Structures are given as structure tokens and as C-alpha cells.
Amino acid sequence: MTDNPDVIVIGAGPAGYVAAIRCAQLGLKTLCVDKWLNTEGKPSLGGTCLNVGCIPSKALLQSSEMFEQANLNFAEHGIKIKGATIDLEAMMSRKDKVVNELTQGIAGLLKVNKVEFVSGTAKLLTENRVAIVPTVGEKQVLSAENVIIASGSSSIELAAAPLTEGLIVDSTGALSFDEVPERLGVIGAGVIGLELGSVWRRLGSEVVVLEAQDSFLSICDQQVASDAQRTLKKQGMDIRLNSRLRETNIISSDKRQVEVVYEDDKGQHKEVFDKLIVAVGRKPNTDHIAEHAADLVLDERSFIHVDEKCETSLPGVYAIGDVVRGPMLAHKGSEEGMMVAELIAGHHAEMDYDLIPSVIYTHPEIAWVGKTEQQLKASGEKYKSGIFPFLASGRAKAQGDTSGMVKVLASEETDRVLGVHIVGAHASELVAQAVIAMQLSASAEDLMLTVFAHPSLSEALHEAALAVDNRAIHIAAKRGR
């Protein structure tokens, strides 16, 4: 290890490796430490997102969607496939290949940018010193003028549903089933629960999702959430709200199963599942990130306290990604890494936390940026809205996928776009147009005056903006307001 680097980055997930690369690009001698090892015991960069999160889940979502389309949708396009079956082993192998290629790609990027990488663990000590224990080799203590903590997060475990290998699993385990469960239970109707539930439902599982909250996707605009809930229910996903987990019991008969006891307004109920996924959120990995004497300040939920520039209570020590406030999103962590690198190099940098897009990769996808209608109502801000359904989109009709809508919220006084909410095919791609518009302080009229290609799904954003002032062309009735 190089003595006295300019920057030590703890963690090589989407926040850490991006920060390390940008620091090196800015001429800073950078050392990055990460402990993740693959099943072969080799370093595997990319953190949770790449190894057991965003990327493998999207690979399985893509594969499972193609399987469902082959069975349910191809015939209407004149493509007839009889008896499409699943080779789950091949599907998992493809997923692992995608992950492996991308992790190797990150290792190559660090090397090309001259970031020194150390496989091992790291702990912050006093005076910006870091104790590093390599996977191979002896412990070493290094000093750096700047330290960036990007140690990520882990799945929250429930005492009422202790993880049991192959039976009660977290999101990591749910990405590696060796067979399709007949009945699958999911605790938590959040992003992870809905995405993983979607994968296995498409592959043939009967999926029951138990959610403690009494509203579906309370973080979303509720009109969009309701539309998504109806579609998921129509697809066969059984989502039970206001259902609080009480206990789980392992049943051993012909095959091991898990009995789930939950409670709702009508009393206690029992369900038996072949597999149970616990997806109730994530917690920051801060338990062992710093010695007590370092006086690193954490909040009541164990997130590292930082200012608007992601600097901690300790001068020269920054924290980014899942270990700090804000949504636990890979792109949010990456942008924080870029910002902090620029600041360390003495440049001006800032980040707009109000314009971080969120996406749920179900089908239809759900994506949004900015404020929801319920937030605007609660704040008393006067607004107007426009909605355009994909049912009226020529491109959506041609694709045979017309579920969902685009919703635009704009200020009644200034016409500035305040929020855009999308449920529909490729919402994850469409929302980027809204982010760009809002980053440039666009008004609904600006979107109205923008020329969108025809036929395209993006025209729905144009029409929703027109609908803000009841000017939409391709819907028969006035909408919005």
C-alpha cells in the first residue's frame, strides 16, 4: 500500500468507486479499500448494487419479462411459441455473467485511472488515520488529508422472521433460488419486495406480498401508485396492505415450508409458503466504520451526520451514499462521490437533492422526480396538473403495452414544473427528460413548446404538459387540474 495517499476511500460501491475515480482524475493520489469477495473468494467491486442488488435483479427482471411475453403476448404479434419453458440454471448463469463482467469492468476502470485498490476492511481512527486489514497481508495504518466513507448498507432483518438458508431469505437469497417456488411470500411492498416478487411471479410463483402500511407505495404520487397497484393486482400479485407480521414457523413435512402469522383489521391469519423474502428496507453499514475515539457523529438511525457538502463532524472526513441522509439510491451516491471529489480538489460543486429520480422496475415501471400531489396539498402550494394515459399513445399501442400514464405537476403561479410521475413501459428512461427539464427550471409551457419525436413514448410527457392547461390533443376529455 502507498504511504500517505491524498484520499482514502472506504468502499467500492457506486458511491465509493465513482468518488475514487474522480479524485484520481483530478490529480489526487487515491487509495480505495473494499471487502466484497465473490463466491470464489476473489475481490468483486461494485458493492451491493452490482453484486446482489440493482444489476442482478434487473437481469432477472429482464429474463422473466421475456419469458412472460413469450407465453402471453407474442401470439398477438403473430409470433407463435408452443410450450416455452424455463431453464432457471441458464437464467441464473446469465445473471452471474452480467455481474462478473461489470465488476471486472470497474476493476479495470480503477486501474486505468491509477486508483490503488486494496481488498480488505478499513476503520477510521483519530486524526484522519485509517486502519486497513487486507484480505491477504498484515494490518497497516495510513494517514490521508481526506477520507471518504462509502461503506454502503445492508438488509434489515426481522426478529419475527429470522433468516433461514434457502427458506427465509433477504434480497440476496431471493436472487439465487435454484427452483421456482410454488408459493412465495414477500414481507414488504417497497421497491425491493415488488421487484423480486415480480421476477418470481412471472416465472410461475403464486406471490403474496404483506405490507404493514395501510397505503400502497406512500412515497409515490398516490394517483400513480393506485394505477400501478391495479395493474400489479391484475397480473396476479396478491398485495395485502395493513398486514403486520407477528411470527414465522418452520414446517417440516414432505418439504420444508414456512408458516407466516400476520394480523390485519380482521384479526390474525396464517399463510404457508415455500419461500419467504424479507424486504423491509436497509440500514447503513456504520457499526464498525470508526473507532469510538474518532468521535464520528451518527444520528439516531446510525446514519453518519453530514452537512450539505457531505462533510462529517470531522474536518477532511466525508461520507456519501447509503451511510448518509437521503434516498438509498446508487445514482444519488455516485453524484455525491463526484461532488465530494470536486470539493476535495478545491473546485466548486453542489448537488440538488430535490431532483433525484426514483424508479421501481416492475412492469409497468414506476418513476418520478420532484414533488407529489399529496406533498403539494400538504404544503398549501397552489398547483395545476396534467395527465396523459399511454392508452392514447400511438407508440404504446403499436408495442401492445398501453398501461399507465404520465402526470405533470406545475406551479399555478409561475407554471414551473414541480413534479413528474410516470407509470408505464420504459418509465425509467422517460423520467430523465423530466429531470433535465426541471434542472433547467422549465415551465409546463417549455415542455409544450418542445418538439418530441413521433411516434414515441416520450410524446406522453409532451401531452401531459399540454394537459396542464387543458390543451392535450390526443385525449377526448379534458384532464388534470
Side-chain angles (χ1 to χ4, degrees):
M1 281 179 274
T2 303
D3 290 334
N4 301 320
D6 297 316
V7 183
I8 297 175
V9 181
I10 303 175
Y17 84 75
V18 169
I21 289 173
R22 186 58 187 144
C23 282
Q25 289 176 343
L26 291 167
L28 300 166
K29 187 164 61 174
T30 306
L31 173 70
C32 182
V33 185
D34 188 86
K35 66 178 182 179
W36 203 292
L37 302 175
N38 62 20
T39 55
E40 298 175 353
K42 297 179 180 179
S44 187
L45 283 69
T48 294
C49 175
L50 182 46
N51 285 282
V52 293
C54 314
I55 300 303
S57 65
K58 303 311 168 285
L60 290 182
L61 281 162
Q62 180 67 29
S63 296
S64 63
E65 184 176 342
M66 293 178 72
F67 172 71
E68 186 168 66
Q69 287 180 348
N71 278 299
L72 300 181
N73 305 121
F74 280 6
E76 69 180 51
H77 291 273
I79 305 170
K80 296 184 178 180
I81 299 176
K82 291 185 178 180
T85 58
I86 302 167
D87 184 341
L88 190 58
E89 184 177 354
M91 191 178 291
M92 291 296 178
S93 178
R94 175 187 177 275
K95 177 257 297 181
D96 294 338
K97 181 182 178 182
V98 170
V99 170
N100 185 56
E101 289 176 351
L102 288 174
T103 56
Q104 290 182 358
I106 294 173
L109 288 172
L110 292 183
K111 185 175 181 180
V112 166
N113 285 281
K114 298 182 180 179
V115 175
E116 182 179 3
F117 173 72
V118 175
S119 174
T121 61
K123 176 178 284 190
L124 179 67
L125 309 178
T126 57
E127 299 177 346
N128 290 24
R129 295 176 302 131
V130 177
I132 300 172
V133 181
T135 303
V136 178
E138 297 183 355
K139 175 180 176 180
Q140 190 170 342
V141 176
L142 300 179
S143 295
E145 187 174 345
N146 295 282
V147 177
I148 303 174
I149 301 172
S151 48
S153 62
S154 303
S155 297
I156 293 174
E157 298 183 17
L158 294 177
L163 299 186
T164 305
E165 186 175 357
L167 188 59
I168 302 177
V169 302
D170 58 12
S171 58
T172 299
L175 293 168
S176 302
F177 290 157
D178 56 9
E179 62 180 359
V180 179
E182 291 182 22
R183 294 200 85 222
L184 174 66
V186 181
I187 307 300
V191 177
I192 297 172
L194 292 176
E195 290 183 358
L196 293 176
S198 293
V199 167
W200 296 106
R201 183 203 60 75
R202 294 171 190 165
L203 297 180
S205 294
E206 177 189 347
V207 178
V208 177
V209 182
L210 303 176
E211 169 57 49
Q213 293 192 54
D214 58 6
S215 61
F216 181 68
L217 291 177
S218 58
I219 58 175
C220 296
D221 184 276
Q222 283 303 287
Q223 187 173 12
V224 165
S226 295
D227 189 288
Q229 185 180 9
R230 284 192 298 271
T231 303
L232 292 173
K233 182 179 180 179
K234 186 177 180 180
Q235 292 171 355
M237 188 176 292
D238 185 351
I239 302 171
R240 304 179 188 179
L241 303 177
N242 200 26
S243 298
R244 299 168 295 282
L245 177 67
R246 292 308 180 201
E247 63 176 297
T248 56
N249 302 297
I250 307 302
I251 300 174
S252 296
S253 53
D254 294 339
K255 59 179 179 178
R256 295 179 74 217
Q257 294 177 303
V258 56
E259 178 188 69
V260 172
V261 180
Y262 72 95
E263 184 177 3
D264 61 18
D265 291 341
K266 297 179 181 179
Q268 281 200 352
H269 310 273
K270 294 181 180 180
E271 291 284 353
V272 176
F273 301 109
D274 299 297
K275 306 281 186 183
L276 181 67
I277 302 174
V278 178
V280 293
R282 301 183 64 81
K283 60 181 180 180
N285 292 331
T286 54
D287 289 349
H288 307 289
I289 199 63
E291 68 173 0
H292 182 72
D295 287 331
L296 182 68
V297 175
L298 308 181
D299 68 16
E300 65 279 2
R301 295 187 297 156
S302 297
F303 288 95
I304 299 173
H305 177 74
V306 293
D307 61 17
E308 70 279 1
K309 303 297 185 184
C310 285
E311 190 166 17
T312 72
S313 55
L314 307 174
V317 177
Y318 298 82
I320 57 177
D322 287 2
V323 294
V324 301
R325 76 287 181 267
M328 288 184 169
L329 298 171
H331 45 282
K332 173 255 194 185
S334 294
E335 290 305 313
E336 286 178 330
M338 295 280 284
M339 175 181 72
V340 166
E342 297 286 344
L343 292 170
I344 289 173
H347 302 165
H348 173 76
E350 59 184 21
M351 182 172 169
D352 189 343
Y353 284 88
D354 292 329
L355 294 181
I356 299 174
S358 296
V359 181
I360 303 175
Y361 293 88
T362 49
H363 187 83
E365 293 180 346
I366 308 163
W368 68 95
V369 63
K371 295 181 179 180
T372 64
E373 187 164 4
Q374 59 264 32
Q375 287 173 330
L376 292 173
K377 286 180 178 178
S379 67
E381 187 169 0
K382 294 181 179 181
Y383 68 95
K384 48 188 177 177
S385 69
I387 297 169
F388 187 79
F390 283 109
L391 185 63
S393 163
R395 181 63 186 274
K397 182 76 73 174
Q399 290 182 175
D401 191 351
T402 57
S403 61
M405 69 175 102
V406 177
K407 180 176 183 177
V408 174
L409 299 168
S411 169
E412 190 173 285
E413 297 177 353
T414 67
D415 197 42
R416 183 173 178 175
V417 178
L418 303 174
V420 175
H421 307 271
I422 308 170
V423 54
H426 305 292
S428 58
E429 307 296 337
L430 297 177
V431 76
Q433 299 177 8
V435 176
I436 293 170
M438 293 174 67
Q439 189 68 55
L440 297 174
S441 302
S443 64
E445 185 180 31
D446 289 328
L447 288 175
M448 295 178 205
L449 296 174
T450 300
V451 180
F452 288 74
H454 175 77
S456 68
L457 295 178
S458 63
E459 287 178 292
L461 176 60
H462 184 225
E463 290 273 5
L466 287 166
V468 167
D469 286 328
N470 292 317
R471 291 171 52 187
I473 301 299
H474 292 94
I475 47 178
K478 291 184 177 181
R479 295 175 180 267
R481 291 192 185 274

